[in-house]
Amino acid sequence: MEQHRTRPRQYGPRRGTTPPLPPQAARGANGRPARPGRSGSPGGAGRKGAGRGGAVPPRRPAAVRPSGPPPVQALRRMPNPRLTGLGGGLFCGTLMFLFGCVDDLLFGSSLTVYGFLFLPVCTLTALWIRRVDLVTVPIVVPIAFAVGLLPVAESGSGLGDRLMGLFTALATQAGWLYGGTLIAGLIATVRKIRLMARRSARNRPPA
C-alpha cells in the first residue's frame, strides 16, 4: 500500500505573526503585570519626565509701566523760552500793565494785590532771560513795576496829578519793588555763577 507523505510539523512561528513575549517580560520585577505609563513600561519615562521635570512653570505677568512720562521729563517739557534784554523788559512791562488793569477792574486798584503779582513776574523774567543778558534783569524789573502802576495809581485830570500819584505809589509800595528786584537779582546771580563754573570746567586741562 502506498503511504501518503505528510509534511513535518513546524513548531516555529508562522509568517506574518509576531512571536509572543516571554513571561518574564510580560510581568514586572515583582511578578505583577506591567502597566503602561510606569517607568518600567515603554513611554513611562517620558510621562514621568513630563510630569516632574518637563513641566513649564507659569510665567508671571510683566509689570505694567505707567503711561505718562516720568516727572523729570515732564519738567523738561515745560516752556523754557530765552528772552533778550529788550524782550525781557517788554515781557515784564506788558505783563505788569495787564495785571494793573485787571487789578483796577476787579480789586479796586489794590496796591497789595499788585505788589503780590509782581513777585512771580520777576521770577519768570529772571529765569527766561538769556545768560548773556542777565545783567539787564535788575534794570528792567523796576521799570516794569512803574509801568504797571499807571492804571492803578490815583490820578487826577492833569499830567502833574498823574505823576504825583505814580510817585506816591512807588514810595508807599517800595517794599514790593525792592523784594521783587532782590528775587530777580538773586536768580540772575545764581545763573551767572553757574555759567562761570561751567566755563572754568571746560577750560580746565584734563588730568
Side-chain angles (χ1 to χ4, degrees):
M1 294 179 64
E2 295 182 358
Q3 295 182 357
H4 296 281
R5 296 180 179 179
T6 59
R7 297 180 63 181
R9 190 174 181 180
Q10 296 180 359
Y11 296 96
R14 297 180 181 180
R15 295 180 180 180
T17 59
T18 57
L21 295 175
Q24 291 82 2
R27 297 188 178 185
N30 52 359
R32 296 181 180 179
R35 296 181 180 179
R38 291 192 175 184
S39 59
S41 60
R47 294 184 181 180
K48 184 177 180 181
R52 292 185 179 180
V56 180
R59 296 182 179 180
R60 297 181 179 179
V64 180
R65 297 181 179 180
S67 57
V72 178
Q73 296 182 1
L75 291 176
R76 291 179 180 178
R77 291 182 181 180
M78 294 181 65
N80 190 17
R82 285 290 173 256
L83 304 174
T84 61
L86 180 60
L90 292 175
F91 167 77
C92 189
T94 305
L95 201 59
M96 289 310 301
F97 184 80
L98 293 177
F99 282 162
C101 294
V102 173
D103 186 18
D104 187 23
L105 294 175
L106 300 180
F107 302 100
S109 300
S110 175
L111 295 177
T112 304
V113 175
Y114 177 81
F116 182 78
L117 294 175
F118 177 65
L119 301 180
V121 173
C122 293
T123 304
L124 292 178
T125 304
L127 289 175
W128 288 352
I129 281 188
R130 297 186 307 176
R131 299 171 182 175
V132 184
D133 301 325
L134 287 175
V135 186
T136 61
V137 173
I139 301 174
V140 299
V141 167
I143 297 175
F145 186 83
V147 171
L149 280 176
L150 293 176
V152 179
E154 297 180 0
S155 59
S157 57
L159 180 60
D161 296 337
R162 290 180 177 273
L163 292 177
M164 186 61 65
L166 179 61
F167 291 149
T168 304
L170 286 173
T172 55
Q173 304 301 318
W176 294 107
L177 176 60
Y178 294 154
T181 307
L182 180 62
I183 292 174
L186 288 177
I187 295 176
T189 304
V190 171
R191 291 185 59 192
K192 191 68 176 180
I193 292 174
R194 291 181 60 185
L195 178 62
M196 294 174 63
R198 290 178 182 177
R199 287 180 178 177
S200 62
R202 291 176 182 175
N203 298 330
R204 186 179 305 171

